[in-house]
Amino acid sequence: MGMKGGGGGGGGVLGGGVNNRRIVQRFRQLVTSNGGSGVGSVKVKLLLWCCVFFTLLLFIGRAASSFMGWTQYHRNNISFQTSSSLTPRKGYTLLINTWKREDLLKQSISHYASCARLDSIHIVWSEPNPPSKSLRNFLTHIVQSNSINGREIELKFDINVEDSLNNRFKEIKDLKTDAIFSIDDDVVFPCTSVEFAFTVWQSAPDAMVGFVPRVHWVDQLEGSVDRYTYGGWWSVWWMGTYSMVLSKAAFFHMKYLDMYTNQMPASIRDYVTKNRNCEDIAMSFLVANATGAPPIWVKGNSQSL
């Protein structure tokens, strides 16, 4: 899937060059009519230099995207409906992935249940045995103790027969919110950081808004645009840029669950199942491919459990 590092299409530079030539011609006419004298001539020259400067900035930005391998996106027959004109439904759903770590799950749910705008909790359960009665009772008690002042938090286990990392993005039919906060069971962010990220997401509900940035670029040594190098946090810090945010701590719209499950090429899901990895990269690329927009990284101090 293609991914772009910023807005706009690749053809914008050419059009900008034509417009700039027209501007230069008009300024030359102004200089001629002014006789090239006095303050008017100085102002015209300053404006000309501004045009040249901003044209160079635009060119450098395009060149950087080309070097990193972030090309113009293609929707690849994935149907997409923008949400920019719609008002997101209030609150968000916590979608938490877990695997045989009940203590971590309890700590995580106990924390996030106290976040102000949490509406519901969906636990992705892919273990061979169903959740124990004691676990259900404990989590139900936690949720009920935080359901006060007319606020009711919904708690559901999404039971899966197959053990696959694709399960964390399986379509959920009865979601009550548009916003999903996807999180791993061993990572905790303060409620203030989560609420801030949710507010950011509400301003751009088609985008992916997350706490964990990563970067990728074309592998120049391989000499092929089909091979990329994946960089972690230190690459983000060193290069001063990022191209994706991971779903281990990110907000995205519920419609992407349907797109991941039913519209994304099956070969990608097969790769994730076989290698037990890369589902977070697949989701990030899916969103970028559908929208043509970059992700949004928000900073927050996490606490590993």
Side-chain angles (χ1 to χ4, degrees), residues 1-4 71-78 80 256 259 264-265 282-293:
M1 297 181 182
M3 188 171 184
K4 60 187 287 189
T71 57
Q72 174 70 6
Y73 70 95
H74 302 278
R75 297 184 183 238
N76 294 332
N77 297 321
I78 294 180
F80 175 79
Y256 295 122
M259 294 172 67
M264 189 176 72
M283 175 57 85
S284 184
F285 276 27
L286 170 70
V287 176
N289 190 66
T291 64

Side-chain angles (χ1 to χ4, degrees), residues 143-160:
V143 168
Q144 289 178 347
S145 64
N146 284 277
S147 298
I148 56 177
N149 299 325
R151 176 190 181 211
E152 295 184 5
I153 303 174
E154 180 186 59
L155 174 67
K156 285 193 174 183
F157 283 86
D158 296 332
I159 307 297
N160 297 282

